[in-house]
């Protein structure tokens, strides 16, 4: 009866959905939040959440209240936690017990509709995390819509992560594993994702645990969703990721994420960044433009946990925001959060909505100029201009990025002779507009002081657009 009622409401009152495509998402920059940890109404005056293993009371109304904080960093998309009612206590939301009811912890249907409307009014798109691999822990006979034992695989544990059968059929962390080969499960999951997108006007989805579900099912799920999706395929094996693209539009770029950490945290050669990009570009081609590049996330220790360096973090964030892909920044990175293993990397953001934090400004500045460049930047491939063990420079369109692993105590100079600028062009560093270089017949002389990253644009961009840029300053930490 629940599904019949739901279908009736859906048929009569569903709103039109934009069904944003991968192509449309290319100009988006995503801010990832855990709904429970980001904000509640009035939480700017609260103290930080004391028990990170329980609920911290964040909800949709809190997100609405802090949309200006998000927009102030230049983000035009938000990735939020799974919507369904979940196993009580699972504040993250990845353990659904009723797929057709929004978790009361997050708010009501009206609250969520109000969030979508308020975000869209600011041209901020909504990406929702979705799970089609498993349900929550408990009595499955009470679950909606999968209330029979035949809807699930028989219990087994994953002992060999290279065994595809185990990965696809056994239970992840003891969560009941859905049997997509069951026709009812197959049909219902595809109906549900279509219903979800139509009912709530969602712009895109992040798909959890992709490799735990057979590829043939994702082909049907993708057809039903018909929206930009980025899949979690937790591996550095490019072949395994390529196996799922298509049907996935893209995947979270774990291979590049781990390479960046190896270089910037553990001191490996910057050449590894260029090599990884070239290897991925050869495999994925234009798909690189819609891969999900990310700075921290809820499943990994934060960058500053492993390496306490603001400077190296800025190099990391600049690379994420400027390399090919759709950038994703995890909430709290802009406030210098240092959380290590789960749940310590899932801190409450409240009360730390400090728009004067230098990392907030750094992200806002990068995103502002990314927006100024528009499709001339996002549609452009990155072209390597210099690479050695300590320094990496590349261009996309008219922008030139310079990153280094030397850290805050290091200085270096390089002459970049391979570039795409006319002689005499004045290039300005967006992070310090007093830092200017003129393109000479022999190239561009780049000087790095204190390991700071640089993003150079021709003076013409700065002159035309500087008035609306985030105010240049060195803010408090």
């Amino acid at each position: 009866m629940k599904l019949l009622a739901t279908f009736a409401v859906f048929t009569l009152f569903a709103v039109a959905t934009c069904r944003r495509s991968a192509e449309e998402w290319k100009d988006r920059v995503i801010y990832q939040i855990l709904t429970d940890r980001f904000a509640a109404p009035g939480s700017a005056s609260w103290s930080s959440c004391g028990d990170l293993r329980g609920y911290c009371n964040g909800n949709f109304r809190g997100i609405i209240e802090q949309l200006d904080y998000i927009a102030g960093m230049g983000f035009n998309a938000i990735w939020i936690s799974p919507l369904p009612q979940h196993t009580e206590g699972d504040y993250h939301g990845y353990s659904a017990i009723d797929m057709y009811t929004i978790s009361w912890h997050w708010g009501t249907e009206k609250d969520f509709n109000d969030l979508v409307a308020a975000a869209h009014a600011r041209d901020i798109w909504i990406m929702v995390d979705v799970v089609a691999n498993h349900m929550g822990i408990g009595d499955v006979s009470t679950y909606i819509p999968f209330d029979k034992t035949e809807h699930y695989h028989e219990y087994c544990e994953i002992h060999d992560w290279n065994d595809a059968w185990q990965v696809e059929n056994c239970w992840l962390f003891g969560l009941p594993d859905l049997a997509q080969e069951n026709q009812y499960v197959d049909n219902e999951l595809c109906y549900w994702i279509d219903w979800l997108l139509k009912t709530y006007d969602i712009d895109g989805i992040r798909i959890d645990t992709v490799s735990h579900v057979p590829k043939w099912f994702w082909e049907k799920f993708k057809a039903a969703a018909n929206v930009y999706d980025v899949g979690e395929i937790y591996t550095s094996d490019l072949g395994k990721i390529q196996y799922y693209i298509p049907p996935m539009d893209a995947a979270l770029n774990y291979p590049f994420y781990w390479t960046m950490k190896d270089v910037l945290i553990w001191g490996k050669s910057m050449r590894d960044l260029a090599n990884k990009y070239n290897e991925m570009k050869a495999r994925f081609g234009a798909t690189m433009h819609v891969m999900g590049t990310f700075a921290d996330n809820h499943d990994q220790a934060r960058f500053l946990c492993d390496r306490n360096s603001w400077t190296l973090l800025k190099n990391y964030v600049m690379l994420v925001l400027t390399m090919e892909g759709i950038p994703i920044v995890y909430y709290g990175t802009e406030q210098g959060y240092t959380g290590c293993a789960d749940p310590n990397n899932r801190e409450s953001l409240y009360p730390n909505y400090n728009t004067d934090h230098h990392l907030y400004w750094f992200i806002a500045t990068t995103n502002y100029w990314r927006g100024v460049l528009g499709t001339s930047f996002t549609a452009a491939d990155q072209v390597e201009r210099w690479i050695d063990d300590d320094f990496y420079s590349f261009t996309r369109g008219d922008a030139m990025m310079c990153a280094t692993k030397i850290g805050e105590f290091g200085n270096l100079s390089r002459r970049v002779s391979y570039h795409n600028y006319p002689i005499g062009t004045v290039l300005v560093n967006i992070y310090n507009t007093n830092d200017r270089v003129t393109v000479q017949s022999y190239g561009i002389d780049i000087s790095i002081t204190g390991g700071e990253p640089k993003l150079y644009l021709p003076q013409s961009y700065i002159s035309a657009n500087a008035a609306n840029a985030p105010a240049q300053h060195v803010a408090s930490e």
Side-chain angles (χ1 to χ4, degrees):
M1 295 300 294
K2 170 73 174 182
L3 295 188
L4 290 176
T6 298
F7 181 76
V9 171
F10 162 59
T11 303
L12 293 174
F13 302 112
V15 297
T17 180
C18 296
R19 301 279 173 147
R20 305 288 187 179
S21 67
E23 183 67 26
E24 292 175 292
W25 271 87
K26 283 183 180 179
D27 293 327
R28 297 287 130 173
V29 188
I30 303 169
Y31 185 64
Q32 182 199 353
I33 62 179
L34 296 185
T35 303
D36 178 66
R37 301 301 162 92
F38 178 67
S43 59
S45 63
W46 296 4
S47 59
S48 297
C49 183
D51 181 9
L52 296 181
R53 297 188 182 278
Y55 292 103
C56 293
N57 301 313
N59 57 35
F60 300 139
R61 288 287 161 194
I63 300 173
I64 294 172
E65 193 173 276
Q66 295 297 337
L67 282 175
D68 287 345
Y69 172 88
I70 296 171
M73 283 181 283
F75 290 108
N76 51 17
I78 309 170
W79 159 12
I80 65 173
S81 304
L83 296 178
Q85 186 60 49
H86 52 264
T87 302
E88 189 61 24
D90 286 354
Y91 64 85
H92 44 71
Y94 291 93
S95 58
I97 59 175
D98 183 347
M99 301 281 279
Y100 289 94
T101 300
I102 286 179
S103 170
W104 67 268
H105 287 283
W106 310 159
T108 65
E109 287 191 5
K110 182 180 185 306
D111 292 335
F112 184 60
N113 284 327
D114 288 349
L115 168 59
V116 173
H120 285 173
R122 291 170 169 81
D123 190 33
I124 295 174
W125 293 357
I126 299 294
M127 172 178 281
V128 170
D129 217 321
V130 298
V131 184
N133 174 65
H134 57 264
M135 297 287 282
I137 295 175
D139 180 2
V140 298
S141 69
T142 65
Y143 290 178
I144 298 171
F146 306 115
D147 58 357
K148 295 180 172 57
T149 56
E150 59 262 33
H151 297 156
Y152 303 90
H153 294 127
E154 291 187 8
Y155 175 79
C156 59
E157 297 180 1
I158 303 174
H159 297 290
D160 182 356
W161 291 89
N162 293 314
D163 184 330
W165 187 93
Q166 287 187 36
V167 171
E168 292 179 0
N169 291 276
C170 293
W171 292 24
L172 182 67
F173 304 130
L175 296 164
D177 196 74
L178 287 165
Q180 288 79 16
E181 65 273 17
N182 179 293
Q183 195 61 56
Y184 174 81
V185 174
D186 178 342
N187 292 343
E188 189 61 37
L189 284 170
C190 291
Y191 171 80
W192 168 75
I193 191 60
D194 180 60
W195 170 86
L196 186 75
L197 293 164
K198 285 180 178 176
T199 301
Y200 297 115
D201 202 15
I202 294 163
D203 301 286
I205 54 177
R206 180 267 192 183
I207 302 180
D208 188 59
T209 52
V210 166
S211 60
H212 293 264
V213 176
K215 178 179 178 178
W216 62 260
F217 171 76
W218 291 129
E219 292 169 350
K220 302 178 73 172
F221 192 82
K222 172 65 178 179
N226 190 29
V227 73
Y228 171 68
D229 54 58
V230 57
E232 180 205 28
I233 307 166
Y234 192 78
T235 182
S236 60
D237 186 328
L238 299 185
K240 289 182 178 179
I241 293 174
Q242 192 174 22
Y243 175 73
Y244 294 100
I245 302 175
M248 299 291 157
D249 286 321
L252 294 176
N253 198 337
Y254 269 103
F256 207 88
Y257 163 76
W258 282 314
T259 301
M260 282 191 286
K261 292 190 77 172
D262 281 346
V263 172
L264 297 173
I265 293 176
W266 309 118
K268 292 189 177 181
S269 173
M270 295 287 282
R271 297 178 193 276
D272 291 351
L273 295 175
N275 291 341
K276 183 58 66 176
Y277 167 77
N278 291 332
E279 184 182 4
M280 294 192 72
K281 188 70 173 179
R283 280 183 179 265
F284 296 103
T287 297
M288 286 291 288
H289 287 276
V290 294
M291 294 288 273
T293 62
F294 59 94
D296 290 341
N297 70 24
H298 60 302
D299 290 325
Q300 309 297 321
R302 292 183 182 270
F303 184 97
L304 291 177
C305 166
D306 291 320
R307 185 70 181 270
N308 186 21
S309 169
W310 300 109
T311 301
L312 289 172
L313 176 62
K314 286 193 285 186
N315 279 271
Y316 169 48
V317 170
M318 186 198 71
L319 285 167
V320 167
L321 292 175
T322 59
M323 66 177 287
E324 285 179 41
I326 297 175
I328 305 167
V329 177
Y330 186 44
Y331 82 97
T333 300
E334 76 280 5
Q335 299 295 336
Y337 276 21
T338 61
C340 295
D342 170 18
N344 295 317
N345 60 346
R346 301 175 178 186
E347 312 96 316
S348 63
L349 188 62
Y350 66 79
N352 301 312
Y353 306 106
N354 179 12
T355 57
D356 283 331
H357 197 291
H358 69 108
L359 291 174
Y360 183 99
W361 171 84
F362 182 85
I363 292 170
T365 297
T366 311
N367 283 337
Y368 172 77
W369 289 106
R370 179 186 165 99
V372 166
L373 293 166
T375 55
S376 68
F377 179 83
T378 57
D381 290 348
Q382 62 190 69
V383 179
E384 180 184 309
R385 300 301 178 178
W386 185 281
I387 184 67
D388 60 39
D389 287 340
D390 293 326
F391 180 75
Y392 180 35
S393 178
F394 62 93
T395 58
R396 290 184 70 188
D398 290 329
M400 182 169 72
M401 281 60 68
C402 301
T404 179
K405 69 166 191 180
I406 59 178
E408 52 269 37
F409 302 111
N411 305 316
L412 59 77
S413 297
R414 298 289 187 269
R415 176 168 290 174
V416 178
S417 58
Y418 175 55
H419 60 83
N420 58 333
Y421 300 109
I423 295 171
T425 301
V426 176
L427 300 177
V428 181
N429 177 12
I430 66 168
Y431 305 121
N432 178 1
T433 54
N434 294 319
D435 175 12
R436 302 175 179 217
V437 294
T438 301
V439 179
Q440 306 291 340
S441 59
Y442 51 75
I444 307 167
D445 286 330
I446 305 294
S447 295
I448 301 291
T449 302
E452 290 286 329
K454 298 189 177 190
L455 195 164
Y456 283 109
L457 292 177
Q459 172 66 48
S460 57
Y461 283 99
I462 306 300
S463 300
N465 299 284
N468 295 318
Q472 185 170 319
H473 68 293
V474 178
S476 62
E477 297 182 2

